[in-house]
Amino acid sequence: MVEMKEKGSFSFKETVNKIGLPTLIIGVFWLILIITGGFLGISMTTLLSDTLKRAGMNGILVLAMVPSIQSGTGPNFALPVGIVCGLFSLVSSIELGFTGAAWLAASIAFAIPLAAVVGFLYGKLLNAVKGSEMTIATYTGFSIVAAMCLAWLMIPFKNPKMGWFIGTGLRETIQLDAVGGAQILNNFWKFTIGGIIIPTGMLLVFGVCCFIVWLYFRSKSGIAISAGGINPRFAQASGIEIDNNRIKANMLSTVLGAIGIIVYSQGYGYAQLYSAPLMMAFSAVAAILIGGATASRAKVSHVIIGVIIFQGLLTTALPVANQLFEGTDLSEILRMIIQNGIILYALTQVKGGGK
């Protein structure tokens, strides 16, 4: 009897460790919110439709965490660096007169080389500050957003769809429906199942990006990046160039961040400049950690699970909180507690066996 209990206890602990404590807690909490919403008369199909839409919008931004984590530099808190590259490419495409699907394709085409160059420089910076990557990354992201606040006012764009009505510079929020760029991917091959709207185009783009990253980390270059992240000394003794691989990983992360904000903006219907990208890295970091990743290991499956649970939780919490507590904004408080709490939990595990 004693052996059976010990065996059962070990099995339960192993299951929790496999799923991940944050994933289990947040997943159960999301399920409770969904059930509560059903009792309150909130439409489940609407909640699930919004969850899929938000997951598609944020998915690539969360995917950008995988290369940086696998390389050993930790979660990419400098995601705003890639986001700024994507936003610059986005407004440049509008300035050049692209509209509709051509605008989307041009924005991504401009963003990839720009983000690759900036990601290379950012990777060089991280190699110079080994051991303090996450701290430096956070301040780098904040700094680039602050610098671009000046740049958005000084860039001599002339397109009236983006500029202020009086004076110079770009508006804080640019409407993408003015160039036919709002929700292009959302509406591409869109269909409904049981009242749930499936944004096929956006999910396909997210799926393709996930497949490319998954495939890359099974290539020789990707395996070398992962090896350097797991055990730098052993990888270096094996002839792997760790510094170059860290640069490659952060270039890929920055490119994904640039593509991700373009997909996010078209899904949202607006491009938000100035201080809007400032805190976007934190929700992306929280999502991948909720999915089961740690500060040292991450997989594409963690991205998919995490973005669905995290965005589903945010989507469900707002209407449920409004029904239970009228006149309050507990959903935003809840988001901040969960988001920052998950990040704090993960960072405490970095040296305590979380690898």
Side-chain angles (χ1 to χ4, degrees):
M1 289 292 291
V2 175
E3 291 181 359
M4 289 180 65
K5 286 182 179 179
E6 289 180 354
K7 186 177 180 180
S9 176
F10 174 79
S11 177
F12 175 76
K13 184 178 180 180
E14 186 180 6
T15 302
V16 172
N17 289 336
K18 186 175 182 180
I19 296 174
L21 186 60
T23 308
L24 190 62
I25 294 174
I26 303 302
V28 170
F29 184 57
W30 180 33
L31 182 61
I32 292 172
L33 282 178
I34 291 176
I35 295 172
T36 304
F39 281 115
L40 293 174
I42 300 173
S43 172
M44 294 295 101
T45 56
T46 301
L47 291 179
L48 292 175
S49 297
D50 290 344
T51 297
L52 287 176
K53 178 182 176 181
R54 292 181 63 147
M57 287 170 56
N58 291 273
I60 301 177
L61 293 173
V62 180
L63 184 64
M65 296 294 144
V66 173
S68 62
I69 292 176
Q70 286 294 95
S71 70
T73 59
N76 187 5
F77 285 99
L79 187 63
V81 173
I83 289 175
V84 164
C85 292
L87 289 174
F88 181 79
S89 301
L90 183 153
V91 296
S92 297
S93 298
I94 297 176
E95 177 70 11
L96 293 174
F98 290 100
T99 59
W103 162 81
L104 180 63
S107 297
I108 294 175
F110 294 159
I112 291 174
L114 175 61
V117 172
V118 174
F120 173 81
L121 297 175
Y122 171 63
K124 296 282 282 186
L125 172 64
L126 290 187
N127 282 341
V129 293
K130 287 182 180 178
S132 304
E133 289 93 344
M134 282 186 281
T135 303
I136 298 301
T138 304
Y139 287 110
T140 301
F142 288 173
S143 298
I144 195 69
V145 171
M148 287 304 294
C149 285
L150 297 175
W152 298 130
L153 288 172
M154 298 170 62
I155 295 174
F157 285 162
K158 303 297 182 183
N159 194 311
K161 297 173 183 177
M162 300 189 297
W164 294 107
F165 297 106
I166 300 176
T168 60
L170 300 178
R171 300 175 201 162
E172 186 172 358
T173 301
I174 299 172
Q175 293 182 331
L176 296 182
D177 56 359
V179 294
Q183 301 184 356
I184 296 175
L185 295 176
N186 303 43
N187 298 326
F188 182 71
W189 287 351
K190 180 176 68 175
F191 64 96
T192 304
I193 298 179
I196 302 173
I197 301 173
I198 311 296
T200 310
M202 194 155 53
L203 294 179
L204 277 176
V205 171
F206 175 42
V208 168
C209 290
C210 285
F211 178 73
I212 291 172
V213 173
W214 175 85
L215 201 62
Y216 177 71
F217 278 98
R218 274 154 183 76
S219 68
K220 183 178 179 180
S221 177
I223 292 172
I225 290 173
S226 298
I230 294 172
N231 194 327
R233 291 184 179 178
F234 177 79
Q236 193 169 22
S238 301
I240 295 175
E241 297 182 357
I242 297 176
D243 287 356
N244 288 341
N245 286 333
R246 284 161 58 101
I247 291 174
K248 288 179 187 177
N250 283 284
M251 286 174 66
L252 178 57
S253 181
T254 306
V255 168
L256 288 171
I259 296 173
I261 194 60
I262 295 171
V263 173
Y264 177 91
S265 297
Q266 67 80 35
Y268 187 50
Y270 301 90
Q272 294 183 301
L273 309 179
Y274 296 93
S275 62
L278 190 66
M279 306 299 291
M280 291 190 74
F282 291 89
S283 59
V285 172
I288 195 168
L289 295 177
I290 286 174
T294 67
S296 56
R297 293 291 91 195
K299 298 188 293 186
V300 171
S301 59
H302 296 149
V303 174
I304 298 171
I305 295 169
V307 75
I308 291 175
I309 293 178
F310 188 63
Q311 295 302 325
L313 181 64
L314 298 185
T315 302
T316 309
L318 178 59
V320 171
N322 288 340
Q323 286 279 350
L324 292 175
F325 309 99
E326 295 184 8
T328 63
D329 191 19
L330 288 181
S331 59
E332 179 63 18
I333 297 173
L334 186 66
R335 182 187 73 82
M336 294 300 296
I337 292 173
I338 292 172
Q339 172 182 298
N340 297 324
I342 288 296
I343 294 172
L344 179 62
Y345 171 82
L347 295 182
T348 62
Q349 302 303 304
V350 173
K351 296 182 180 179
K355 292 184 180 181

